[in-house]
Amino acid sequence: MEKKKISRKSSWFWKWILNSQVVTALLIVLLLLLITLLFTKVSYLFEPVGQFFAIVGLPIMIAGILFYLMNPVVDYLERKGMKRVLGITLLFIFVIALLTWGIVVIIPEIREQLHSFFKAMPGYVDTLTKKADQVFKDPVFKPFHNNIEQMTQKLLESVSELTKNVSKLTLQGLGSLVSTVANILIAIVTAPIILFFLLKDGKKLGPYLIDFLPNKMRKPTFKVLKEMNSQLASYIRGQLTVAFAVAVMFIIGLSISGLNYAITLGILAGFLNLIPYLGSFLAMVPTIFLGIVTGPAMLIKVIIVFAIEQTIEGRVVSPLVLGSQLEIHPVTIMFVLLTAGKIFGVVGVILGIPFYAIIKVVVTHVFEWYKGISTLYED
């Protein structure tokens, strides 16, 4: 009798505990958390690896972005019968010529506009202050005068404190500035070399890595890598194309409206447009500021330019170029932007969405695999 009871208990333990899919999943999660905790305790062992990736990360990222932009052109030239190396060389020559033109023509114009802007900045601030005083003297704002004065006083104190700390921050950041400049120089030298070999042998990289895996894992892993590559390619090409279109529209629109610094503001709008949903509105802040200090007529023109640009971008450019290839809900994008920006700063805001898309692909396939081996999702 006792043996039967023990056997019944052991069978119950095996059926409901050891053979439970939920318990197995929880044990796997627990092991992953323990491994993560262990790595945090010995993180100092990985500092050399982190420093290595800090050095090579920037040139690899630059080369990767340029690869997704230039690879379709190289593939097209190869399909037309041109040797791949020759096509890459011609494309490099074209890009170098384009950069040279930008340095000779665009950079001096931007420098001149920035110099003129900072020279006129005190006058702009005085004009804006006077207009704000005229608005706040209206009887409607009388109950809020004390609050407005306190906010203005705090703002002035903050600006004064920031000015006092500029020299200290400059001296403290001198070492990091030198390190940053060194990393940028390394990236400028090494990124073209990495890009050349990516364009030449990039198609062989995936199969080469897959060969290290067991045979049963090769096909699903290659499928995941292919989907990740497709997501990244679509996003990078689409975002940069839209950003370029936004920059051109702003430059043309602001030039027609007669606003100063149209080229600088247009290029700034293009860069900021790399931030989904928020970029165009952030780009309008300096534009609206200049419209206010220039006059009511200019402000109306600037608003019209912004409305036209948003309509063309939202109804024509973005749907045509981007479509819905990422299949990410706008609310999710906002959460990703806020989280990545809080953790990684500006770099996180720009790169948060593509990295989220990669993680989403991996998690989706892992979940599909788990559904296939688990009995929890069977009818």
Side-chain angles (χ1 to χ4, degrees):
M1 292 293 291
E2 292 181 358
K3 290 183 178 180
K4 288 182 179 180
K5 289 181 179 179
I6 293 172
S7 63
R8 287 177 181 176
K9 290 181 180 179
S10 62
S11 63
W12 178 88
F13 180 77
W14 173 262
K15 180 178 180 180
W16 296 102
I17 302 298
L18 296 180
N19 199 33
S20 172
Q21 298 288 343
V22 176
V23 174
T24 303
L26 292 175
L27 287 174
I28 292 172
V29 172
L30 179 61
L31 287 174
L32 291 175
L33 293 175
L34 289 174
I35 292 171
T36 305
L37 178 62
L38 178 63
F39 276 122
T40 59
K41 298 299 181 182
V42 294
S43 58
Y44 59 90
L45 296 175
F46 301 95
E47 288 182 1
V49 179
Q51 293 174 358
F52 171 76
F53 280 107
I55 295 173
V56 303
L58 181 61
I60 289 176
M61 184 175 68
I62 294 173
I65 293 173
L66 293 176
F67 168 78
Y68 284 119
L69 288 176
M70 298 170 66
N71 189 57
V73 180
V74 177
D75 288 341
Y76 174 78
L77 294 176
E78 188 178 25
R79 287 195 300 268
K80 293 297 182 181
M82 185 179 294
K83 291 184 177 180
R84 192 167 185 86
V85 175
L86 178 59
I88 296 170
T89 304
L90 293 176
L91 191 57
F92 267 52
I93 293 173
F94 173 76
V95 172
I96 292 172
L98 192 63
L99 290 175
T100 304
W101 173 80
I103 292 172
V104 173
V105 177
I106 302 297
I107 299 298
E109 183 67 25
I110 294 175
R111 184 180 59 192
E112 183 179 347
Q113 290 188 1
L114 288 175
H115 177 72
S116 175
F117 174 76
F118 286 115
K119 186 177 180 181
M121 189 65 182
Y124 291 151
V125 173
D126 290 339
T127 303
L128 187 63
T129 303
K130 291 177 182 178
K131 291 185 177 183
D133 289 339
Q134 292 175 0
V135 172
F136 291 137
K137 285 179 180 179
D138 192 280
V140 177
F141 292 95
K142 189 174 182 180
F144 307 102
H145 279 178
N146 293 332
N147 293 332
I148 293 172
E149 289 179 1
Q150 291 177 3
M151 292 174 59
T152 305
Q153 185 64 28
K154 289 181 180 179
L155 180 61
L156 292 175
E157 290 176 358
S158 300
V159 173
S160 177
E161 188 68 23
L162 179 63
T163 304
K164 291 179 182 178
N165 292 332
V166 165
S167 58
K168 295 180 182 179
L169 293 172
T170 302
L171 292 175
Q172 292 174 358
L174 186 60
S176 61
L177 178 63
V178 173
S179 176
T180 303
V181 171
N183 289 337
I184 292 174
L185 290 176
I186 292 173
I188 292 174
V189 174
T190 57
I193 300 173
I194 298 172
L195 175 61
F196 178 84
F197 285 104
L198 279 177
L199 291 170
K200 181 176 178 291
D201 302 319
K203 294 181 179 179
K204 303 176 184 178
L205 183 60
Y208 174 77
L209 295 175
I210 293 298
D211 287 340
F212 289 97
L213 299 176
N215 291 337
K216 291 183 178 180
M217 296 180 61
R218 290 180 181 179
K219 188 174 180 179
T221 303
F222 185 75
K223 182 179 178 182
V224 173
L225 291 177
K226 186 177 180 180
E227 190 171 339
M228 289 167 55
N229 180 69
S230 176
Q231 291 277 331
L232 273 179
S234 299
Y235 182 81
I236 290 174
R237 292 169 190 161
Q239 284 296 116
L240 291 177
T241 303
V242 172
F244 177 76
V246 168
V248 171
M249 285 190 288
F250 265 108
I251 291 173
I252 295 174
L254 295 178
S255 298
I256 293 174
S257 67
L259 186 68
N260 295 327
Y261 324 115
I263 295 177
T264 304
L265 292 172
I267 294 175
L268 177 64
F271 276 110
L272 290 175
N273 200 76
L274 295 175
I275 305 174
Y277 294 103
L278 301 177
S280 296
F281 292 97
L282 292 175
M284 282 304 297
V285 172
T287 310
I288 292 292
F289 170 78
L290 289 172
I292 292 173
V293 298
T294 305
M298 182 57 69
L299 178 60
I300 293 173
K301 292 179 183 179
V302 166
I303 293 174
I304 292 173
V305 169
F306 178 65
I308 295 173
E309 183 275 330
Q310 283 292 294
T311 303
I312 297 175
E313 180 192 351
R315 299 292 180 88
V316 180
V317 179
S318 291
L320 186 63
V321 176
L322 290 175
S324 57
Q325 72 270 14
L326 291 181
E327 297 180 354
I328 302 175
H329 196 275
V331 176
T332 305
I333 290 178
M334 295 302 297
F335 279 119
V336 171
L337 291 176
L338 292 173
T339 305
K342 180 67 176 178
I343 298 174
F344 302 106
V346 178
V347 177
V349 172
I350 296 174
L351 301 179
I353 301 301
F355 274 103
Y356 173 81
I358 292 174
I359 295 172
K360 181 183 176 183
V361 170
V362 175
V363 172
T364 301
H365 282 274
V366 170
F367 182 65
E368 291 296 328
W369 167 80
Y370 179 72
K371 285 172 64 177
I373 66 169
S374 173
T375 59
L376 297 174
Y377 297 91
E378 295 179 357
D379 295 332

